[in-house]
Amino acid sequence: MHPLLNIATQAARNAGNIIVRSLDRVNYLEITEKGRNDFVSDVDRFAEQEIIKTIHKAYPHHNILAEEGGELTGHNNKEEVTWIIDPLDGTTNFLHGFPQFSVSIGITYQDQLQHGLVYDPLRQEIFTASKGSGAFLNDRRVRVSKQQGLEGALLGTGFPFKKQHYLDTYLATFKALFPYVSDIRRPGSAALDLAYVASGRLDGFWEMDLAPWDIAAGILLIREAGGFVTDFTGGHDCFTTGSVIAGTPSVQKEIYQIIYPLLE
């Protein structure tokens, strides 16, 4: 495993310990609404602080882009490395005791994804990838499923609950895709959904209004597992557009072919 991924793994496990220990005291946490239906708790903040502390102990000069803390510029970062962190993806699930949430850490070099990690602290599953080296689940190599096309496919998705003016467009995409597939899941952690695509548990995924920390690690996982990822226009600017279509090569292509005309 690459040294950067070793540190990412240590940081994610440390954060996961904080998250799991807090599950039985959710009612005592300080919870703030950052925006409509967008919550942050003490656990999000403490987990993020632990991740940053672990990273900066090993690499004090690296940049960090984190969901709660924003952007931190490292001193003398000649390597141009940036860590993109979501300390608790699925906060609403966590606050309700719904067991589907994760820690996500993506690492870029000169704005190119190089390493990614998604950690499920409840199941002790850690998904990792390095560019050109494949994708892994707990050190076992994984690939996207062998699903050929939408017929019979199991898709994942996410609702635009933060910006509900996207709802009509989203519902149009859902209505258009639903007749073709075996079923659709909405578990509530985009990072974990993308990891499930990479490991073949889902055949495809689409969502809009996502942030870089939601998707950085998952995008690399899918690419390294043999899948395709684009934004809704078929391009590769997911960080800017916030939209993602992912899946096996044929599933991703068919989702795109159905969704794109609905955007015009």
Side-chain angles (χ1 to χ4, degrees):
M1 184 180 291
H2 191 280
L4 288 172
L5 263 186
N6 278 326
I7 296 300
T9 299
Q10 180 183 341
R13 290 194 183 280
N14 291 345
N17 290 338
I18 292 172
I19 293 167
V20 171
R21 287 200 303 266
S22 301
L23 272 173
D24 61 354
R25 59 181 187 88
V26 168
N27 292 336
Y28 301 99
L29 297 176
E30 181 179 338
I31 302 167
T32 305
E33 190 171 12
K34 296 186 291 183
R36 180 176 173 82
N37 297 325
D38 188 10
F39 300 96
V40 61
S41 71
D42 291 339
V43 174
D44 296 74
R45 299 186 186 96
F46 294 152
E48 182 173 289
Q49 290 167 9
E50 181 61 31
I51 293 170
I52 293 172
K53 182 177 76 173
T54 304
I55 293 168
H56 274 169
K57 183 177 179 180
Y59 301 104
H61 53 291
H62 284 183
N63 299 327
I64 289 176
L65 176 63
E67 179 175 15
E68 311 307 337
E71 188 169 1
L72 302 174
T73 303
H75 298 294
N76 193 29
N77 185 10
K78 295 179 180 178
E79 298 179 24
E80 300 180 58
V81 176
T82 299
W83 299 65
I84 305 174
I85 300 166
D86 192 337
L88 177 52
D89 186 53
T91 298
T92 299
N93 282 351
F94 170 79
L95 294 176
H96 287 79
F98 189 87
Q100 187 81 358
F101 43 80
S102 61
V103 179
S104 178
I105 301 175
I107 306 171
T108 66
Y109 170 68
Q110 295 181 343
D111 296 325
Q112 299 297 312
L113 284 168
Q114 299 295 321
H115 309 283
L117 174 152
V118 175
Y119 176 49
D120 180 344
L122 289 181
R123 298 173 181 84
Q124 292 290 297
E125 291 186 333
I126 189 158
F127 302 83
T128 58
S130 291
K131 188 174 182 180
S133 298
F136 297 83
L137 167 55
N138 292 348
D139 299 322
R140 176 178 60 84
R141 187 154 192 162
V142 293
R143 300 283 295 177
V144 295
S145 75
K146 297 180 180 179
Q147 179 68 27
Q148 298 294 319
L150 285 175
E151 185 175 354
L154 178 64
L155 302 185
T157 188
F159 307 141
F161 60 92
K162 296 178 186 177
K163 296 180 181 177
Q164 295 187 6
H165 58 275
Y166 290 140
L167 186 58
D168 287 343
T169 300
Y170 170 78
L171 290 176
T173 66
F174 189 101
K175 185 177 180 180
L177 288 167
F178 188 77
Y180 293 96
V181 302
S182 66
D183 212 338
I184 296 174
R185 299 284 183 263
R186 199 281 181 183
S189 170
L192 207 50
D193 292 343
L194 293 172
Y196 281 12
V197 173
S199 58
R201 295 174 178 175
L202 291 171
D203 302 307
F205 173 86
W206 89 101
E207 189 170 349
M208 58 181 64
D209 191 32
L210 292 166
W213 42 79
D214 298 319
I215 57 179
I219 287 174
L220 185 64
L221 282 165
I222 293 171
R223 289 174 178 167
E224 289 299 316
F228 285 2
V229 184
T230 69
D231 59 26
F232 280 13
T233 68
H236 299 281
D237 200 13
C238 299
F239 283 5
T240 301
T241 66
S243 63
V244 171
I245 301 173
T248 71
S250 57
V251 169
Q252 191 278 336
K253 180 180 179 180
E254 291 190 19
I255 296 174
Y256 164 73
Q257 289 173 335
I258 291 172
I259 284 180
Y260 182 68
L262 301 175
L263 308 179
E264 299 177 342

